[in-house]
Amino acid sequence: MRLLIICREPGLRSALGAQFLEHKNPVLFLEPDRQLAPDFFAADEPALVIDCLGVGGNPDFNYLSEDFFAQLIAACRESEWPWLMLSDSRVFPSLGKQRFGEVDTPAPNSVAGERLLWREHYISENLPRHILLRVGPIIAAQGLNLLTHLLQQLRGGGVVSAPGSPRFCPTPAADIARIISAIHDQLDCAAECWGTYHYQSSDITNHYEFAEVLLAAATQYWNIGSDHVQLQAAAIEPFGGMFPLLNCQRIRDSFGIQQLPWRKAIPAILKQIYTGA
């Protein structure tokens, strides 16, 4: 089954391209403002549409109107093409240590969460062959995300403010690409595994702890030691908003997908940034 990927988040786009190139899957990246058209989805050869437009460090929901989105979903329904939408945990309220499962009722308390939930509902109600994959905040070497935002501050030196709450699970883009690839493999084998799934990294942290880990690892590449940077546990608005914790048991039971710790991905991401690879 071909893959049609709609994605503008550069870190995720790069990770998906590398993942599917390694597995020699035919992939086409579609540009929302140039290549998307309802009649495009009427081709004879079926495809899995991977929609990543709603996630990222700085998502922009304005370039795909609700009416146009509805046309694309209708075209996929008519052609019986499945649609995988990447969403995130902002569809749930921020309630401290609670972990939300797929059966819990979403109740977003942010604009980003409300817009994601609208798209989730529309897909669920209008396209039987769909998968909604909710993840944690994405970290990657490219683009604007928690990691690149904090690294820029650390390299600038001085006082870097990082709140001690809320707690969340940053999720590397490469890990998300691994999950999407595993789901694609199951669909390619005609598995009927439609519905909603959760995935995020296994380690819970907060912005201050994440900054500590990032600072320790970044000293291998840049002169940003403790004499250059002072971390301050300040009560500020967290970058990217609040991402409630997710219960990821269903994706493990359905696909055998295990959660991986985000800490192990940090050295590779920083090396990629340093070398410009």
Side-chain angles (χ1 to χ4, degrees):
M1 184 185 296
R2 293 184 303 152
L3 295 113
L4 302 179
I5 302 176
I6 314 170
C7 180
R8 277 186 166 168
E9 205 290 312
L12 188 58
R13 184 183 176 109
S14 175
L16 287 168
Q19 177 72 32
F20 288 114
L21 177 64
E22 180 181 349
H23 288 74
K24 299 181 180 180
N25 296 117
V27 175
L28 177 62
F29 283 93
L30 299 179
E31 297 298 332
D33 52 357
R34 294 202 303 272
Q35 291 178 284
L36 279 180
D39 58 1
F40 183 89
F41 297 86
D44 293 333
E45 187 179 356
L48 168 64
V49 181
I50 300 175
D51 169 17
C52 304
L53 291 180
V55 297
N58 188 24
D60 179 0
F61 294 85
N62 298 321
Y63 52 79
L64 199 61
S65 70
E66 293 182 359
D67 289 342
F68 187 55
F69 179 71
Q71 292 179 41
L72 298 181
I73 295 300
C76 277
R77 181 175 65 247
E78 184 174 346
S79 299
E80 296 186 342
W81 285 15
W83 188 289
L84 188 156
M85 174 187 165
L86 196 63
S87 185
D88 64 47
S89 65
R90 287 175 294 180
V91 299
F92 294 108
S94 301
L95 296 176
K97 298 181 180 180
Q98 180 176 348
R99 286 183 179 269
F100 293 94
E102 292 85 353
V103 298
D104 292 318
T105 302
N109 52 14
S110 68
V111 173
E114 290 173 354
R115 290 173 174 170
L116 284 169
L117 185 59
W118 180 88
R119 293 180 67 172
E120 284 190 11
H121 281 166
Y122 194 89
I123 291 173
S124 298
E125 294 170 358
N126 293 279
L127 190 62
R129 290 162 54 85
H130 73 269
I131 287 179
L132 304 176
L133 178 60
R134 296 175 181 145
V135 299
I138 299 171
I139 56 173
Q142 303 94 354
L144 180 61
N145 56 73
L146 173 63
L147 186 147
T148 56
H149 172 74
L150 265 177
L151 181 61
Q152 182 180 27
Q153 290 185 304
L154 294 173
R155 293 181 65 184
V159 176
V160 176
S161 298
S165 63
R167 300 184 70 77
F168 60 95
C169 292
T171 307
D175 204 12
I176 295 173
R178 172 182 69 93
I179 305 310
I180 292 177
S181 177
I183 292 174
H184 168 261
D185 289 345
Q186 291 293 317
L187 296 180
D188 222 16
C189 296
E192 296 291 328
C193 50
W194 314 112
T196 302
Y197 297 90
H198 290 174
Y199 181 84
Q200 61 185 14
S201 295
S202 57
D203 296 346
I204 301 175
T205 188
N206 58 38
H207 287 74
Y208 186 86
E209 292 173 356
F210 183 80
E212 285 186 314
V213 172
L214 188 61
L215 176 59
T219 56
Q220 301 178 54
Y221 302 105
W222 298 280
N223 181 26
I224 53 174
S226 57
D227 57 339
H228 182 70
V229 175
Q230 179 184 353
L231 289 178
Q232 183 180 72
I236 61 173
E237 182 69 21
F239 177 84
M242 298 183 181
F243 289 79
L245 302 175
L246 299 173
N247 183 314
C248 304
Q249 182 174 344
R250 187 186 182 205
I251 200 167
R252 181 172 64 249
D253 294 344
S254 300
F255 297 101
I257 292 174
Q258 300 293 329
Q259 293 170 271
L260 299 181
W262 57 266
R263 283 176 172 82
K264 290 187 176 181
I266 297 298
I269 294 175
L270 291 181
K271 182 178 180 180
Q272 189 177 357
I273 294 173
Y274 183 74
T275 60

